[in-house]
Amino acid sequence: MTARLADIAAQAGVSEATVSRVLNGKPGVAAATRQAVLAALDVLGYERPVRLRQRSEGLVGLITPELENPIFPALAQVIGQALTRQGYTPVLATQTPGGSTEDELTEMLVDRGVDGIIFVSGLHADTSADMGRYERLRAQGVPFVLVDGFSPQVRAPFISPDDRAAMSLAVTHLASLGHTRIGLALGPQRFVPVQRKIEGFTSAMRERLGMSERETTTLVEHSLYTLEGGQAAAAALIDRGCTAVVCASDMMALGAIRAARGLGLQVPEDVSVVGFDDSPLIAFTDPPLTTVRKPVPAMGQAAVRTLLEEIAGTPAPQSEFVFMPELVVRGSTASAPAAGPGAGPGAAR
């Protein structure tokens, strides 16, 4: 190491201490001097440290939780198309169970010199996670935007759907059909979108049905954002007398339909089901799914536009941009059965 420092110092015409400061990214070195040291590295054939390499032009990282839920590929497609239209190349990095973590994927993208990163449903949505990782990323000079989730501890632009409004839309629709026992199936409590959906659900149940917060609590079931998770949560809610189930994802909603049928009930005659996302192909399920459409095109385009402003040095306000969802009524909801689940004309006798 000492011999290498001496070689670089001699080539650049500076002291070994100055070379050390440049290699370790320390402040207090003039730009011209820093450039001379980097040029000496190149001339002598030494590899530049990762943090000192020239950033690749036009690479933007996109980190998603997984691709099994069709809403994530849909969002990735919108973001990818918006980036390529602006001359950038998207780099998709996907977390998988037992695979790379968000931190590992972030490090990989930073090492490859991406111009910025878009995080979708990442640790920023987990209230139990350490938000210091994002401040450390900001300190490295990497612009980023966070989609789905919010933390006041992170200084960055956030892009979110209005989860509270989504639940109000679903509950209002079901209450208008005569349902008074409406259940809510969603993911773990620690996630920000889950907490917001519960708030919206509780408020809507109070306003539409006069139900207290304590009563509403018994109608909320936490599970996993999977078909199996939705099936388990819906089975528990139907057992508590729910004639309708609002789900926090379309995948959970498909599980809820499976749960109802497994109990000998029909959808929507005995149990109504509402999803969330309006994932691709969800209109063609049996029955076609009533769902709250997540504004994916608007959110994806806003994420790209906001990130490119950050990259250009004209950052958007470090706050949350909230997009309004839309109720899409299809065949999985109908009037409430006469006397609770199992009383409808299609129920098993």
Side-chain angles (χ1 to χ4, degrees):
M1 174 63 76
T2 303
R4 188 173 73 170
L5 284 177
D7 291 343
I8 298 169
Q11 178 68 33
V14 299
S15 68
E16 291 182 30
T18 298
V19 173
S20 179
R21 293 186 71 82
V22 172
L23 295 181
N24 288 294
K26 301 292 184 183
V29 180
T33 303
R34 188 181 300 275
Q35 194 57 47
V37 172
L38 295 177
L41 282 173
D42 297 338
V43 168
L44 295 172
Y46 292 125
E47 188 174 352
R48 293 189 184 191
V50 169
R51 61 178 168 274
L52 298 180
R53 292 176 197 164
Q54 186 69 32
R55 288 195 186 281
S56 300
E57 280 293 324
L59 291 181
V60 170
L62 171 61
I63 300 181
T64 65
E66 39 93 0
L67 294 178
E68 291 184 1
N69 187 330
I71 197 63
F72 293 126
L75 190 53
Q77 183 175 26
V78 170
I79 290 173
Q81 288 175 343
L83 285 169
T84 54
R85 280 198 299 269
Q86 296 297 323
Y88 287 81
T89 301
V91 180
L92 179 61
T94 305
Q95 301 175 62
T96 52
S100 299
T101 64
E102 180 181 310
D103 290 338
E104 290 168 342
L105 294 174
T106 301
E107 184 178 1
M108 176 196 76
L109 291 170
V110 172
D111 286 350
R112 281 157 178 76
V114 295
D115 287 349
I117 301 176
I118 296 174
F119 294 87
V120 177
S121 297
L123 290 169
H124 62 280
D126 187 341
T127 58
S128 67
D130 175 16
M131 297 299 154
R133 54 177 43 87
Y134 298 109
E135 284 305 304
R136 291 189 288 274
L137 181 60
R138 178 171 293 282
Q140 291 178 276
V142 181
F144 59 93
V145 172
L146 303 159
V147 180
D148 275 344
F150 177 76
S151 172
Q153 302 171 44
V154 181
R155 295 178 298 144
F158 290 85
I159 308 292
S160 303
D162 192 329
D163 290 298
R164 298 182 184 92
M167 294 301 98
S168 178
L169 288 170
V171 169
T172 298
H173 169 62
L174 292 169
S176 72
L177 293 172
H179 293 275
T180 57
R181 294 285 293 178
I182 302 170
L184 175 62
L186 30 59
Q189 175 80 37
R190 68 181 188 275
F191 293 109
V192 172
V194 170
Q195 295 173 5
R196 289 176 168 180
K197 284 184 175 72
I198 292 173
E199 291 171 8
F201 179 74
T202 301
S203 176
M205 292 292 278
R206 182 182 63 250
E207 293 173 6
R208 305 297 174 188
L209 300 172
M211 193 170 289
S212 70
E213 184 172 345
R214 185 173 180 178
E215 291 173 304
T216 304
T217 301
T218 64
L219 302 176
V220 175
E221 186 71 18
H222 295 279
S223 188
L224 300 176
Y225 282 111
T226 61
L227 190 146
E228 293 79 12
Q231 183 176 356
L237 292 167
I238 292 171
D239 188 57
R240 292 174 207 159
C242 290
T243 62
V245 179
V246 180
C247 299
S249 77
D250 290 336
M251 292 294 285
M252 292 188 81
L254 295 181
I257 293 173
R258 178 193 281 183
R261 289 174 175 165
L263 294 168
L265 304 174
Q266 291 193 15
V267 177
E269 291 84 355
D270 304 315
V271 178
S272 287
V273 176
V274 178
F276 179 80
D277 282 337
D278 197 26
S279 312
L281 303 181
I282 212 67
F284 306 103
T285 57
D286 179 26
L289 187 66
T290 294
T291 189
V292 180
R293 177 179 292 158
K294 192 173 187 175
V296 167
M299 288 177 60
Q301 290 161 14
V304 170
R305 186 167 58 251
T306 304
L307 181 68
L308 297 189
E309 288 173 356
E310 294 271 317
I311 292 172
T314 55
Q318 294 181 348
S319 59
E320 186 175 24
F321 301 89
V322 180
F323 291 79
M324 183 61 67
E326 173 189 359
L327 180 70
V328 181
V329 178
R330 298 192 182 105
S332 65
T333 51
S335 298
R349 299 298 181 193

